[in-house]
């Protein structure tokens, strides 16, 4: 008994909500009649959220696992529902969708899904309306997830003629928490930090100010509302697959914003925020639906606004992805209480109030869709009708050597159910050769031409930056770093129906050495497998040519050499291990029997330099960007499968730096590093450690670590208003020195980067690894005055053992060419020497 009391006291100390739960369960929440019209009668067999959870709606943040339990309860009690698990998060939480409709529709759900395939043929399927109600893709915006409980209860249990009519005419997919890992993290924070006596008037109170990395992102701290087209994460992969199976008429996306704002719903500002690829009928329906939201919010006395801000062009958002797929996407933004109660400019803002606004907007969406049923079906028919004017336009994309990166891009297109065809003949466009079997054709004239055109977007003639919103450069093709071009009437081969996989050459044993062509992106992960085994691996700093079965085979700089002699494994064990790595990573290795080459350096030359196993540290916390730190973590954990140590920046002085030979500073502020810590970091680099800085961290490093003027970042950008330092996300071209170890494996010197500011690096030519051409803009927006900023500036710069990236090379987990340069900095950072080019 004494031990139990001790455990209870400890739990109360760690989580205040545990100690005071009985007192607080009803405080701050509201009774059902606050949310539901008193005339609505509910099936008594179906428990309300309050009855099931044991507290009033709005009294606390309901954790994801309890939302799951409630949805499971509804599915077990009602023939109006079917619970569908579409996937799992990184942390293993279920991604559940509750389908709610009439019992007859629920029984026919599988046949309706098949019938929806007619939409892509521009036919009208015999199905009910399909609505996708999505909540809380940002985990620390919980009012949407809480409202999903009310929406599910209302549609499942309400007994009115209107609801029964809506259930007969529609299928409503309720996606309660689009980011379960982040939502659970945020819910725990608020519930463990709220007080019995609410601290309303101090927004910096612990309840309202969550700790780093906060709950916005997923397990790897990514913003999942930037992942609808990129589909990097399992949450997005599952959701996009479900979306494409059903092609809903409407998708809503419930968000939150600052506490002093009211409530936003579309339409957005039409001037500059509408896509040229989306039918105008979509935006007309946005405006029509707004009437329903206005009436619903007016009835409960809530204030709101429309036609201001918010980007309606970017296809990676949950509210815009539908626009590029024949549906109507709708964004809701609710002023956030960031807890249970908070004083705002509009008075006391309660969590219950935010939940009610989200709930009534969900129901208003159902009302609007029902009344505009024919217009929604007509929109899909118009959208998926192939435009004959697009008949001659196609895109070709390929790479002769980097099969892995090309396959990944093509598979992403297939995930969006786009049409892709094999290229049946060699073709040269703008001096780039696209080989048969190593390149693909994507026609614009296909059912979803809008998504094709935004993925290959090249627009760069925006005139008014004030109307651009979040971004202006949307080209996913650029993010791949692959060569692509617009062509007419290509030699189109068979349509690609199945996902592409790697093809490897079976490995034969060698008692001398093995070579790996480093140009396939997957070879980077393979190299880490070799280094983990403590194998001797070298990289070629000069090109060479060997006699391969009577044929001359050329190998470029960066080629990997694995000698058989001197290894910790026997020749037989080495062969078996390399065979396993080749099969697992889908790469080909070439056995060689002599070090005497036909041309260039021989295998015993000092031009082959040994690669040392990296020990990598990433600083986290404080003012560091959790998104950018998460991108690095995800890269190491998911793609490279290599250990990455993450330590809070406040603990820097206690870190034994001799345990590491690489340190990464992701973008952010490093004000937590004292003068003593900075000196410690300098000494570490002088002793051979390689420091790699990304984005704004490079500006910090320039100011605090680099003493020579030539290596400092340019602060001589013309003063405002001549140049805006902040940019809407755009795509900029850089040119990389092909002889630098950071370029090993790249098949092009042109290297697109994603840029969100005008910050650049200044250094001497021999220390510049990547620079900008005279006209660097590829997609998006640059002010004309920015030309002077990029002139004689660097995108990648080295200064001793410090490697600085002016941009974020692992942006959103999809910038795969710049990602290669970053991984090369990890692998080859100690091999870099000043190189003139």
């Amino acid at each position: 008994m004494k031990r139990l009391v001790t455990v209870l006291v400890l739990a109360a100390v760690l989580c205040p909500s545990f100690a005071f739960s009985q007192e607080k369960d009803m405080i701050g929440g509201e009774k059902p009649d606050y949310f539901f019209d008193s005339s609505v009668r509910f099936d008594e067999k179906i428990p309300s959220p309050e009855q099931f959870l044991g507290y009033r709606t709005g009294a606390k943040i309901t954790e994801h696992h309890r939302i799951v339990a409630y949805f499971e309860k509804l599915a077990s009690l009602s023939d109006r529902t079917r619970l569908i698990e579409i996937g799992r998060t990184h942390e293993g939480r279920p991604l559940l969708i509750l389908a709610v409709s009439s019992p007859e529709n629920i029984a026919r759900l599988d046949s309706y899904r098949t019938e929806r395939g007619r939409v892509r043929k521009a036919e009208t399927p015999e199905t009910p309306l399909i609505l996708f109600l999505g909540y809380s893709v940002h985990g620390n915006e919980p009012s949407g997830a809480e409202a999903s409980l009310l929406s599910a209860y209302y549609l499942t249990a309400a007994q009115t003629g209107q609801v029964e009519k809506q259930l007969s005419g529609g299928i409503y997919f309720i996606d309660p928490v689009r980011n379960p890992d982040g939502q659970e993290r945020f819910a725990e924070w608020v519930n463990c930090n709220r007080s019995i006596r609410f601290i309303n008037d101090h927004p910096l109170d612990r309840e309202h100010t969550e700790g780093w990395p906060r709950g916005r992102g997923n397990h790897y701290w990514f913003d999942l509302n930037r992942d609808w087209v990129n589909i990097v994460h399992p949450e997005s992969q599952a959701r996009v697959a479900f979306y494409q199976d059903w092609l809903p008429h409407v998708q809503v996306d419930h968000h939150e914003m600052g506490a002093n704002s009211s409530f936003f719903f579309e339409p957005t500002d039409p001037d500059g925020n509408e896509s040229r690829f989306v039918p105008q009928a979509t935006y007309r329906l946005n405006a029509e639906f707004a009437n329903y939201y206005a009436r619903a919010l007016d009835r409960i006395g809530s204030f709101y606004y429309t036609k201001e801000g918010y980007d309606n062009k970017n296809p990676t958002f949950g509210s815009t992805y539908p626009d590029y797929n024949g549906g109507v996407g709708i964004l809701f933004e609710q002023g956030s209480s960031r807890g249970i109660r908070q004083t705002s400019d509009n008075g006391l803002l309660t969590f219950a109030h935010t939940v009610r606004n989200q709930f009534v907007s969900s129901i208003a969406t159902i009302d609007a869709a029902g009344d505009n049923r024919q217009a929604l079906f007509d929109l899909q028919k118009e959208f998926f009708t192939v435009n004959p004017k697009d008949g001659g336009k196609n895109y070709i994309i390929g790479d002769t050597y980097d099969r892995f990166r090309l396959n990944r891009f093509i598979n992403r297109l297939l995930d969006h159910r786009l049409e892709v065809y094999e290229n049946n003949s060699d073709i040269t466009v703008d001096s780039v050769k696209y080989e048969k079997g190593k390149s693909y054709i994507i026609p614009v004239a296909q059912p979803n031409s809008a998504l094709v055109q935004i993925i290959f977007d090249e627009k760069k003639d925006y005139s008014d930056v004030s109307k651009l919103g979040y971004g202006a450069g949307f080209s996913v093709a650029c993010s791949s770093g692959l060569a692509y071009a617009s062509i007419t009437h290509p030699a189109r081969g068979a349509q690609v129906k199945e996902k592409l996989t790697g093809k490897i050459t079976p490995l034969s044993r060698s008692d001398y050495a093995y070579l790996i062509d480093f140009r396939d992106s997957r070879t980077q992960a393979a190299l880490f497998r070799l280094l983990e085994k403590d194998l001797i691996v070298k990289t070629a700093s000069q090109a060479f040519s060997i006699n391969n079965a009577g044929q001359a085979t050329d190998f470029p700089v960066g080629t990997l050499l694995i000698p058989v002699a001197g290894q910790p494994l026997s020749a037989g064990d080495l062969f078996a291990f390399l065979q396993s790595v080749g099969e697992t990573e889908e790469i080909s290795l070439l056995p060689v029997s002599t070090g005497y080459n036909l041309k260039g350096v021989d295998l015993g030359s000092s031009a082959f330099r040994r690669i040392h196993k990296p020990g990598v540290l990433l600083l986290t916390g404080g003012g560091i960007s959790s998104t950018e730190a998460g991108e690095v973590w995800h890269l190491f954990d998911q793609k490279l499968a290599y250990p990455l140590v993450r330590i809070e920046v406040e603990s820097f002085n206690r870190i034994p730096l001799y345990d590491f030979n690489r340190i990464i500073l992701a973008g952010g502020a490093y004000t937590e590093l004292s003068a003593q810590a900075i000196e410690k970091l300098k000494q570490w680099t002088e002793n051979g450690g390689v420091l790699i800085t990304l984005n704004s961290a490079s500006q910090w490093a320039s100011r605090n670590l680099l003493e020579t003027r030539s290596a400092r970042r340019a602060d001589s950008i013309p003063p405002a208003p001549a140049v805006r330092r902040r940019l809407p996300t755009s795509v900029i071209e850089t040119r990389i020195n092909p002889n630098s170890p950071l370029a090993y494996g790249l098949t092009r010197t042109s290297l697109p980067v994603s840029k969100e500011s005008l910050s650049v690096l200044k250094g001497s030519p021999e220390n510049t690894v990547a620079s900008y051409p005279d006209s660097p803009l590829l997609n998006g927006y640059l002010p004309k005055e920015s030309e002077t900023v990029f002139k004689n500036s660097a995108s990648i710069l080295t200064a001793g053992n410090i490697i600085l990236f002016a941009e974020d090379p692992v942006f959103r987990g999809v910038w795969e060419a710049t990602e290669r340069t970053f991984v090369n900095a990890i692998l080859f950072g100690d091999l870099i020497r000043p190189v003139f080019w």
Side-chain angles (χ1 to χ4, degrees):
M1 183 65 181
K2 182 177 180 181
R3 182 178 180 185
L4 176 60
V5 171
T6 302
V7 171
L8 291 174
V9 171
L10 179 59
V13 170
L14 293 177
C15 184
S17 66
F18 180 94
F20 305 127
S21 60
Q22 289 186 340
E23 291 183 66
K24 296 170 65 178
D25 277 347
M26 307 304 279
I27 298 175
E30 296 288 352
K31 295 179 180 180
D33 60 7
Y34 179 77
F35 304 100
F36 303 114
D37 190 294
S38 58
S39 65
V40 178
R41 295 291 176 262
F42 293 92
D43 186 343
E44 293 182 355
K45 299 191 302 294
I46 308 295
S48 68
E50 178 181 325
Q51 290 168 332
F52 181 83
L53 298 168
Y55 51 86
R56 290 179 181 167
T57 299
K60 62 184 295 186
I61 312 293
T62 302
E63 302 91 338
H64 172 259
H65 69 273
R66 302 185 79 180
I67 295 174
V68 167
Y70 182 65
F71 275 44
E72 289 174 339
K73 187 67 172 179
L74 294 180
S76 71
L77 294 175
S78 174
D79 59 0
R80 292 181 178 181
T81 65
R82 181 189 294 183
L83 193 59
I84 306 166
E85 181 176 322
I86 62 172
R88 293 265 167 166
T89 70
H90 283 294
E91 295 178 15
R93 292 187 173 87
L95 297 166
L96 298 182
I97 290 176
L98 186 71
V100 189
S101 190
S102 68
E104 295 77 16
N105 288 339
I106 291 296
R108 296 186 59 191
L109 210 56
D110 293 336
S111 63
Y112 281 145
R113 182 180 59 188
T114 301
E115 178 72 4
R116 292 297 296 167
R118 294 176 57 193
V119 173
R120 285 191 178 82
K121 301 175 183 178
E123 299 174 355
T124 301
E126 298 295 327
T127 70
L129 280 168
I130 309 297
L131 272 66
F132 205 174
L133 309 179
Y135 303 88
S136 298
V137 70
H138 296 144
N140 58 2
E141 299 174 5
S143 59
E146 214 75 26
S148 76
L149 297 168
L150 300 178
S151 297
Y153 174 60
Y154 178 82
L155 291 173
T156 302
Q159 296 180 316
T160 70
Q162 173 70 0
V163 169
E164 290 177 0
K165 178 182 177 182
Q166 290 172 332
L167 294 176
S168 177
I171 299 172
Y172 309 101
F173 292 116
I174 301 177
D175 192 353
V177 184
R178 289 189 152 169
N179 178 8
D181 295 346
Q183 193 270 353
E184 192 90 24
R185 190 162 65 239
F186 178 72
E188 181 180 3
W189 177 273
V190 172
N191 293 336
C192 285
N193 286 289
R194 64 195 182 116
S195 303
I196 293 178
R197 294 166 182 82
F198 293 104
I199 310 300
N200 303 330
D201 53 354
H202 288 281
L204 295 180
D205 176 72
R206 187 171 172 85
E207 176 189 350
H208 306 301
T209 312
E210 56 182 320
W212 201 97
R214 296 168 286 280
R216 179 181 176 91
N218 71 344
H219 173 76
Y220 289 104
W221 315 328
F222 273 66
D223 186 338
L224 292 177
N225 200 41
R226 306 294 187 271
D227 201 39
W228 277 87
V229 174
N230 302 330
I231 47 178
V232 171
H233 297 276
E235 298 93 336
S236 307
Q237 292 160 8
R239 195 160 287 119
V240 165
F242 186 86
Y243 188 101
Q244 292 295 335
D245 278 348
W246 284 96
L247 289 175
H249 296 92
V250 179
Q251 171 165 274
V252 296
D253 203 25
H254 290 262
H255 289 259
E256 290 182 3
M257 53 185 166
N260 292 323
S261 298
S262 57
F263 189 86
F264 173 84
F265 55 85
E266 298 193 34
T268 57
D269 180 357
D271 186 7
N273 280 296
E274 294 181 354
S275 173
R276 65 195 187 279
F277 302 127
V278 173
Q280 278 299 304
T282 302
Y283 301 120
R284 287 195 295 270
L285 281 163
N286 276 151
E288 178 60 27
F289 276 44
N291 296 315
Y292 291 78
Y293 304 134
R295 286 195 294 268
L297 293 167
D298 286 344
R299 279 196 297 269
I300 60 174
S302 289
F303 281 76
Y304 50 84
Y305 67 99
T306 65
K307 302 181 289 295
E308 297 179 34
Y310 293 107
D311 189 343
N312 220 352
K313 302 184 301 299
N314 192 331
T316 62
F317 299 152
S319 59
T320 51
Y321 184 74
D323 298 345
Y324 291 94
N325 283 275
V328 175
I330 299 169
L331 171 68
F332 297 121
E333 290 277 357
Q334 166 63 54
S336 178
S337 60
R338 280 292 188 268
I340 307 305
R341 288 183 177 180
Q342 188 174 162
T343 302
S344 75
D345 288 350
N346 300 310
L348 180 63
L349 179 62
T350 68
F351 184 44
H353 171 80
T354 68
V355 173
R356 182 172 64 166
N357 282 350
Q358 302 276 32
F359 167 65
V360 300
S361 299
S362 294
I363 303 307
T365 300
I366 295 172
D367 295 338
D371 290 348
N372 290 275
R373 173 189 175 88
Q374 191 57 52
L376 291 167
F377 275 93
D378 290 346
L379 169 63
Q380 291 199 323
K381 186 171 184 177
E382 174 192 354
F383 183 91
F384 285 103
T385 297
V386 177
N387 187 343
K389 294 181 180 179
D390 294 332
K393 188 172 182 181
N394 300 264
Y395 291 100
I396 187 168
I397 190 166
D399 196 290
T400 302
Y401 304 100
D402 199 341
R403 169 67 67 175
F404 180 80
R405 185 152 45 113
L406 177 60
N407 286 357
R408 178 175 285 185
F409 179 80
I410 296 300
N411 288 342
R412 185 175 293 123
L413 300 184
L414 297 179
D415 284 335
H416 294 292
R417 316 289 170 91
L418 298 177
E419 293 181 5
V420 179
Y421 296 84
E422 295 175 355
N423 174 32
N424 254 5
S425 66
D426 294 350
I427 180 175
T428 299
V429 183
D430 296 331
S431 302
V432 177
K433 184 178 182 180
Y434 297 90
E435 295 186 24
K436 176 183 178 180
K438 297 179 180 179
S439 55
Y440 296 90
I441 306 294
I442 302 95
V444 173
Q446 61 171 290
N448 194 344
S449 64
L451 193 57
V452 170
Q453 291 180 92
I454 197 68
I455 284 175
F456 287 90
D457 189 28
E458 296 176 322
K459 185 176 175 61
K460 51 184 178 180
D461 58 352
Y462 295 102
S463 58
D464 187 354
V465 67
S466 67
K467 299 293 185 179
L468 287 179
Y470 177 81
F474 308 119
S475 174
V476 179
C478 280
S479 74
S480 73
L482 298 165
Y484 74 92
S486 175
I487 60 173
T488 57
H489 308 297
R492 199 166 82 179
Q495 184 175 352
V496 180
K497 297 284 191 178
E498 303 292 334
K499 290 287 192 74
L500 302 177
T501 58
K503 298 176 182 179
I504 62 173
T505 303
L507 180 63
S508 299
R509 175 171 166 167
S510 171
D511 290 321
Y512 189 77
Y514 300 88
L515 296 174
I516 300 177
D517 189 327
F518 200 58
R519 286 174 290 191
D520 190 290
S521 291
R522 197 60 190 167
T523 54
Q524 289 186 317
L527 177 52
F528 279 106
R529 302 292 78 75
L530 306 182
L531 297 176
E532 283 183 308
K533 204 72 171 178
D534 295 319
L535 297 182
I536 297 172
V537 186
K538 298 184 178 182
T539 183
S541 62
Q542 296 181 38
F544 61 96
S545 180
I546 70 167
N547 183 341
N548 179 21
Q551 298 290 324
T553 301
D554 297 330
F555 285 90
V557 295
T559 297
L560 303 181
L561 166 66
I562 307 150
V564 173
Q567 300 286 8
L569 301 178
S570 67
D573 289 345
L574 177 64
F575 168 65
F577 176 70
L578 294 179
Q579 198 172 36
S580 173
V581 169
E583 292 171 355
T584 301
E585 305 297 345
E586 298 182 346
I587 64 162
S588 296
L589 296 87
L590 181 67
V592 292
S593 57
T594 178
Y596 187 58
N597 291 333
L598 291 178
K599 290 190 300 184
V601 295
D602 294 321
L603 299 189
S605 168
S606 60
F608 286 89
R609 305 176 67 191
R610 183 166 181 178
I611 306 165
H612 298 98
K613 181 165 68 175
V616 191
L617 167 66
L618 171 70
L619 294 185
T620 59
I624 298 169
S625 165
S626 59
T627 301
E628 294 189 29
E631 291 166 351
V632 175
W633 178 25
H634 175 265
L635 169 65
F636 275 81
D637 213 34
Q638 289 290 324
K639 295 183 178 180
L640 302 176
Y642 191 78
L644 172 75
V645 177
R646 295 157 297 140
I647 297 180
E648 294 290 287
V649 66
E650 293 88 347
S651 302
F652 185 82
N653 283 333
R654 297 189 285 114
I655 301 173
L657 294 187
Y658 51 78
D659 289 345
F660 307 97
N661 54 27
R662 304 287 189 275
I663 294 177
I664 301 169
L665 302 185
Y670 288 81
T671 54
E672 296 83 4
L673 293 182
S674 63
Q676 178 186 357
I678 292 172
E679 185 58 32
K680 178 181 178 181
L681 192 57
K682 286 181 180 179
Q683 288 294 323
W684 177 81
T685 60
E686 290 172 4
N687 290 333
V690 176
L691 177 66
I692 302 166
T693 63
L694 312 181
N695 212 355
S696 56
S698 295
Q699 302 169 32
W700 178 89
S702 296
R703 292 190 300 268
N704 291 278
L705 299 176
L706 305 183
E707 296 178 355
T708 59
R709 185 174 183 181
S710 62
R712 286 183 182 152
R713 183 183 65 83
D715 283 318
S716 58
I717 296 174
V723 174
R724 288 168 49 93
R725 191 172 287 272
R726 176 73 185 169
L727 287 176
T729 307
S730 297
V731 182
I732 307 298
E733 183 182 13
T734 69
R735 304 276 175 81
I736 192 165
N737 179 352
N739 297 314
S740 169
L742 297 190
Y744 284 177
L746 291 178
T747 55
R748 306 173 66 217
T749 57
S750 176
L751 191 65
V753 300
S754 178
K755 201 158 186 66
E756 297 184 310
S757 77
L758 286 176
S759 297
V760 294
L761 301 166
K762 293 290 185 179
S764 57
E766 66 269 24
N767 290 326
T768 296
V769 176
S771 58
Y772 306 94
D774 291 339
S775 300
L777 182 61
L778 294 175
N779 178 217
Y781 171 83
L782 280 180
K784 293 181 180 179
E785 303 88 340
S786 66
E787 294 177 2
T788 58
V789 175
F790 292 105
K791 189 175 183 179
N792 299 322
S793 298
S795 172
I796 307 175
L797 187 71
T798 64
N801 274 9
I802 302 176
I803 303 172
L804 305 97
F805 289 81
E807 296 84 23
D808 176 4
V810 287
F811 187 62
R812 295 183 186 163
V814 293
W815 284 78
E816 291 162 349
T818 52
E819 177 185 290
R820 291 212 73 178
T821 64
F822 171 68
V823 176
N824 282 349
I826 301 292
L827 290 167
F828 311 129
D830 57 340
L831 303 181
I832 293 176
R833 299 167 179 165
V835 179
F836 288 95
W837 57 300

